[in-house]
Amino acid sequence: MSDLEKDPAEVVCDGSDGGGPTLELLEPREVVLGRTTTVRRLLPNKNRRMVGAWCFVDHYGPDDLTSRVDSYDVPGERGMRVPPHPHTSLQTVSWLFEGEIEHRDSVGSHAFVRPGELNIMTAGNGIAHSEVSTPTAPPVLHGAQLWVALPDSVRTTVAPAFNAYADLPSLELDGASGTVMIGTVAGVTSPAPAYSALVGADITIEPGRTLSLPLTVSNEYAVLIVDGSLSVGELTPGFGEMAYLGGGRRSVELVASGNGVRFLLLGGEPFEEHLVMWWNFIGRSHGEIVAARDAWQAAILANGNDRFDMVPGYDGDPLPAPPLPAIALKPRPRSR
Ligand code: MN
């Protein structure tokens, strides 16, 4: 797709695949989790699986959970209940716009995920966690569940960990403001741990204003609209849609609609390693996924093992892995 911006920013192309500026609209795909919880999946998308090391983006809500239960729920219980389940070779980022979720994990963490606060869990070779709506949570839940692929150099050796940041640095820009979740945006840097050049921010542009957002030339970027709409070049992504901007940009002009816009900025250095993603696992081969699944199933029976501990304080059974597909899973590149 060509760059049709009227006043394109100066660009530097590094010649690698996807290194230059582009504009692609990525539409969400509705995915039903359990029986009744519907999320909108932006990544992996049909032709683009990653933006930087961001490899999984689910956007959900705003949903009023008052009268709804999902299939994992105890009958009569309000909201969401995701029992303990495992992860490998990735970080999970939980980001809320509204509502509250209670997090527990197998390294002993117990935390409440709240709007504007970053909760990042590093799986390393294996971790398990649970996510549950609290009885006292506000009724409306709106958020994003994101995964970051860990590079091969650290993915099995970094210690499993959970970090929470309630006081992230603020962005104050001309016509816009926001919060830097991870990495550096416009010279403002988050303290959250990253293992590749990675950027995440939650930005609001005032109604009708244009934000000239400085970018890092060596990164690729995308914006996910969570309220209102904006124009970028010839694209006008609305609620729940993502615009992929490519890389090689020193800046980008984002024009808010008359009602303003709120969006997540996601970016990073293009991630060149090919991944196998299946269920909650990331690996580099089919055999690794089989081994992770076997270890989790064994951990459930043994109440924890040397790869996956159980989640202390969670009242209920862990989530068993689904059956493996009949065909071998293949490693995939970040784009097609
Ligand atoms: Mn999870």
Side-chain angles (χ1 to χ4, degrees), residues 99 150 263 297:
L150 290 170
F263 64 93
Q297 296 299 94

Side-chain angles (χ1 to χ4, degrees), residues 52-128:
W54 300 102
C55 61
F56 183 91
V57 176
D58 271 357
H59 176 209
Y60 52 89
D63 280 331
D64 188 335
L65 303 180
T66 309
S67 60
R68 196 165 64 72
V69 294
D70 83 9
S71 70
Y72 299 134
D73 282 0
V74 174
E77 187 176 88
R78 186 183 88 178
M80 71 180 265
R81 172 177 285 274
V82 185
H85 60 280
H87 290 292
T88 58
S89 294
L90 60 88
Q91 292 174 298
T92 62
V93 169
S94 303
W95 189 257
L96 289 184
F97 307 105
E98 289 183 85
E100 184 178 84
I101 293 170
E102 185 177 20
H103 164 99
R104 294 178 192 272
D105 64 44
S106 55
V107 297
S109 317
H110 179 213
F112 293 92
V113 182
R114 294 184 175 122
E117 302 179 0
L118 180 72
N119 290 264
I120 184 163
M121 187 179 78
T122 303
N125 204 40
I127 201 167

Side-chain angles (χ1 to χ4, degrees), residues 177-334:
S177 60
T179 303
V180 181
M181 299 153 59
I182 195 161
T184 299
V185 179
V188 176
T189 300
S190 161
Y195 296 90
S196 58
L198 189 71
V199 174
D202 180 345
I203 299 175
T204 297
I205 310 178
E206 295 162 19
R209 296 290 301 271
T210 297
L211 171 64
S212 185
L213 183 66
L215 301 177
T216 299
V217 171
S218 53
N219 287 346
E220 59 179 348
Y221 290 92
V223 292
L224 166 59
I225 312 302
V226 300
D227 194 22
S229 65
L230 60 72
S231 299
V232 52
E234 83 274 24
L235 295 186
T236 53
F239 174 82
E241 294 179 327
M242 183 181 261
Y244 174 72
L245 310 177
R249 296 175 187 264
R250 294 190 191 284
S251 67
V252 68
E253 301 253 299
L254 304 172
V255 184
S257 66
N259 295 322
V261 65
R262 185 176 187 181
F263 64 93
L264 289 184
L265 175 74
L266 301 174
E269 262 176 23
F271 196 91
E272 302 295 353
E273 297 172 29
H274 295 195
L275 304 181
V276 181
M277 287 177 60
W278 179 80
W279 193 47
N280 292 303
F281 302 126
I282 291 182
R284 297 299 185 273
S285 68
H286 180 76
E288 271 189 28
I289 299 295
V290 173
R293 184 185 181 281
D294 287 350
W296 173 247
Q297 296 299 94
I300 292 176
L301 293 175
N303 198 30
N305 59 18
D306 59 358
R307 185 156 187 189
F308 297 107
D309 285 321
M310 291 294 106
V311 175
Y314 178 82
D315 183 17
D317 293 330
L319 201 59
L324 281 161
I327 51 161
L329 302 157
K330 287 200 187 100
R332 304 280 186 188
R334 63 192 178 82

